[in-house]
Amino acid sequence: MPRLRALALVCLLLVAGACTDDGGGADGSAADDTTTTQAESGPLTAAGALPELTRVRVAPLGDRVGFVDASGREILLRGANFSSLGDYYQADPAFAPTRPPTDDDWDGMAAAGFGVVRLLVSWSALEPVRGQLDMAYVDRIRAAVDAAAARRIHTVVDMHQDAWGKFIATPPGTVCPEGSEPAIGWDGAPQWATITDGAETCRPPGYREGSAAVTAAFTAFYENRDGIRDAFVATWQRLVAALGDTPAIAGYDLFNEPNLVLDETASTQRYTELLRSALAAVRAGEAEAGVPPRVVFVEPIVLFPLPGSLPEHPLAMDDQLAFAPHNYAEVIGPKILTVEQTFDIQRGVAAERGWPLWIGEHGVFSMEEEARQVNRRFAAAQDAAMVGGAQWQWRQWCGDPHAIGVPGRAVTETQIQLNDVACPADATTGPNEDLMRVAGRAYPRAAPGRLTGIESDPDARTLTVGGVIDDDLASGGDLVVWVPGEERPTVEGRGLGEPRLVQVPGGWYVTVEVVDSPYELEAR
């Protein structure tokens, strides 16, 4: 979870006079014990505000299932997707599709209170030559995990793909049939694992996955032609073993947005086979590295909740699985279901399977009032469900395939994400204040026992958190809450000891012992 240096650093700062300590009240009524840290050069992490990162695991929490840390506290993994390590097709030679991560990126995530990053990685970069894991790329992944961990941010390693990969772009000069358009390449599989048998690369207008070539490539993969599915699975095992033992990795997202390319029954069966073998590979890689089982995040087929989009239930024989669908209701595709209805369906599937729910992608791509309200309604539904997730995405450069869309398109508009980018200048214009206000709203990072309620107002920057410690739940550790903003919040509550507030770049961490159950904290 986010940022801090060591407790020793706070002591040094205290000696140096860079911190102030105001004495204060008790009994959870108001927080007067405040430590403020100031950075002389760059954002300073708040030593003492949060504990060291510990292993994330799935555990029952009364009538539901959630994520807990080493002391048994319920934790909410909230943050953003980060595409800087994605191996995307370059559709315009003037613009790189991604740029390497920087300290400013990681510090910015920490300053938003994020506790997780969904880190996109690409099979094409991991294994550009069949059977050879690119250790330089693995080192880049490891460096990103370490940089996030230095800010107390967990990582979900996401094996990402869109429209199968870079190597299904329509060749230059191709004249597509009437009613179709050329396709750019995207991200995912290496060239040696892209088997299309010469299928048409042109696609229906605007339908990224709609070409016959994408369907052919997915079909070959599901059917394991030339052993390419086995190769993918083997890559997962080698990657997990190479990343080794670090509690900073919360878990692995096995396969982003799998496609439905066969009939419903066949796609479900084939996708289930893929997940079972990939899960076994992850567990084998962990055993090789001497790592306890991490959480494996399972996505439905991208057309969820349509029939045939869920893997078969026997997959649930592993007890460290999480359901990780995406929620773009009212944002992408036909507006059939609302954000709230989609959330209800996702919660129902997670509950039926005994998995925690985690929204792997969500977001809006416009600052129109309707989109802004959809974003706030999603946040309210997420709080009501008491679940985590990762917003799409931290930043999108002008050369990203999402920005270009079709061959030859000149990108001129602002790329609206958590951090906006002006095109064609390809220059960041800084955080999108409206989106960041919602994504970085107040929330509980860690809660003893289990959460019973969350209400967070991103505009007023207020938070109410309820929890209970049942006899059969672990109760170790303090309640830790993130509150954004420069102004020191007022904290009240019941069942709490004396809160401690630590100011960090972007906001405040409130840490308080829970002394009675049920408990409640209100920050305003």
Side-chain angles (χ1 to χ4, degrees), residues 163-164 167-171 174-177 180-183 194-204 209-220 225 261:
W164 185 249
F167 302 100
I168 309 185
T170 301
T174 299
V175 177
C176 289
S180 65
E181 67 181 6
T194 301
I195 301 174
T196 67
D197 296 325
E200 178 65 70
T201 60
C202 297
R203 67 184 190 188
E209 286 84 6
S211 74
V214 171
T215 299
F218 261 99
T219 300
R225 284 181 56 187
V261 297

Side-chain angles (χ1 to χ4, degrees), residues 267-411:
S267 279
T268 301
Q269 291 175 342
R270 297 292 191 178
Y271 182 48
T272 302
E273 291 169 5
L274 167 65
L275 292 177
R276 284 176 176 157
S277 56
L279 175 61
V282 167
R283 297 297 180 236
E286 290 168 336
E288 184 179 338
V291 182
R294 295 187 175 105
V295 180
V296 169
F297 295 82
V298 177
E299 296 192 31
I301 289 174
V302 71
L303 294 180
F304 175 82
L306 292 179
S309 58
L310 282 172
E312 296 171 2
H313 193 45
L315 186 70
M317 296 187 67
D318 191 289
D319 67 357
Q320 292 299 306
L321 301 183
F323 187 44
H326 302 170
N327 189 341
Y328 287 117
E330 303 181 66
V331 177
I332 297 177
K335 297 182 180 180
I336 299 173
L337 296 173
T338 66
V339 165
E340 294 84 358
Q341 289 170 331
T342 302
F343 237 122
D344 286 343
I345 293 170
Q346 294 169 337
R347 292 174 68 184
V349 170
E352 186 269 331
R353 299 199 170 200
W355 298 347
L357 175 62
W358 191 76
I359 308 300
E361 290 183 22
H362 61 88
V364 297
F365 315 115
S366 163
M367 285 294 96
E368 297 293 332
E369 183 60 23
E370 181 181 1
R372 290 155 60 104
Q373 291 308 313
V374 166
N375 195 42
R376 279 165 170 74
R377 285 170 42 221
F378 172 88
Q382 184 180 33
D383 289 341
M386 297 176 291
V387 300
Q391 180 136 346
W392 186 269
Q393 63 171 319
W394 182 246
R395 184 183 289 106
Q396 181 171 294
W397 296 104
C398 300
D400 188 306
H402 293 90
I404 294 176
V406 296
R409 179 187 176 198
V411 183

Side-chain angles (χ1 to χ4, degrees), residues 146-516:
D146 290 344
R151 280 83 171 173
R152 299 300 186 265
I153 300 174
H154 277 106
T155 297
V156 173
V157 179
D158 163 44
M159 192 73 78
H160 209 77
Q161 73 80 35
D162 298 293
W164 185 249
K166 296 169 60 175
F167 302 100
I168 309 185
T170 301
T174 299
V175 177
C176 289
E178 185 177 354
S180 65
E181 67 181 6
I184 60 173
W186 281 82
D187 61 291
Q191 188 168 18
W192 57 263
T194 301
I195 301 174
T196 67
D197 296 325
E200 178 65 70
T201 60
C202 297
R203 67 184 190 188
Y207 183 17
R208 183 178 64 186
E209 286 84 6
S211 74
V214 171
T215 299
F218 261 99
T219 300
F221 179 62
Y222 283 151
E223 295 179 347
N224 201 24
R225 284 181 56 187
D226 195 29
I228 57 175
R229 193 182 75 190
D230 292 341
F232 173 82
V233 166
T235 298
W236 256 124
Q237 180 171 342
R238 292 197 295 269
L239 174 62
V240 170
L243 290 176
D245 187 3
T246 169
I249 296 177
Y252 305 104
D253 190 330
L254 291 178
F255 197 75
N256 180 71
E257 296 187 351
N259 279 25
L260 180 71
V261 297
L262 309 170
D263 65 76
E264 293 172 6
T265 300
S267 279
T268 301
Q269 291 175 342
R270 297 292 191 178
Y271 182 48
T272 302
E273 291 169 5
L274 167 65
L275 292 177
R276 284 176 176 157
S277 56
L279 175 61
V282 167
R283 297 297 180 236
E286 290 168 336
E288 184 179 338
V291 182
R294 295 187 175 105
V295 180
V296 169
F297 295 82
V298 177
E299 296 192 31
I301 289 174
V302 71
L303 294 180
F304 175 82
L306 292 179
S309 58
L310 282 172
E312 296 171 2
H313 193 45
L315 186 70
M317 296 187 67
D318 191 289
D319 67 357
Q320 292 299 306
L321 301 183
F323 187 44
H326 302 170
N327 189 341
Y328 287 117
E330 303 181 66
V331 177
I332 297 177
K335 297 182 180 180
I336 299 173
L337 296 173
T338 66
V339 165
E340 294 84 358
Q341 289 170 331
T342 302
F343 237 122
D344 286 343
I345 293 170
Q346 294 169 337
R347 292 174 68 184
V349 170
E352 186 269 331
R353 299 199 170 200
W355 298 347
L357 175 62
W358 191 76
I359 308 300
E361 290 183 22
H362 61 88
V364 297
F365 315 115
S366 163
M367 285 294 96
E368 297 293 332
E369 183 60 23
E370 181 181 1
R372 290 155 60 104
Q373 291 308 313
V374 166
N375 195 42
R376 279 165 170 74
R377 285 170 42 221
F378 172 88
Q382 184 180 33
D383 289 341
M386 297 176 291
V387 300
Q391 180 136 346
W392 186 269
Q393 63 171 319
W394 182 246
R395 184 183 289 106
Q396 181 171 294
W397 296 104
C398 300
D400 188 306
H402 293 90
I404 294 176
V406 296
R409 179 187 176 198
V411 183
T412 57
E413 69 270 22
T414 298
Q415 299 301 299
I416 295 174
Q417 303 289 338
L418 289 172
N419 292 273
D420 291 344
V421 171
C423 299
D426 208 25
T428 183
T429 56
N432 183 302
E433 293 184 4
D434 190 82
L435 295 183
M436 197 70 81
R437 184 181 302 119
V438 177
R441 68 192 182 278
Y443 75 105
R445 287 282 300 262
R450 60 183 171 88
L451 292 164
T452 57
I454 303 172
E455 292 184 12
S456 181
D457 186 327
D459 297 309
R461 299 185 177 181
T462 59
L463 173 69
T464 301
V465 175
V468 64
I469 300 176
D470 297 328
D471 291 340
D472 58 346
L473 294 178
S475 59
D478 294 329
L479 173 65
V480 179
V481 166
W482 161 255
V483 182
E486 292 288 330
E487 185 177 352
R488 177 185 170 207
T490 298
V491 179
E492 299 177 337
R494 58 188 176 90
L496 304 175
E498 183 175 347
R500 185 168 73 96
L501 277 71
V502 178
Q503 188 176 21
V504 298
W508 299 76
Y509 278 105
V510 180
T511 303
V512 57
E513 180 185 6
V514 174
V515 298
D516 197 9

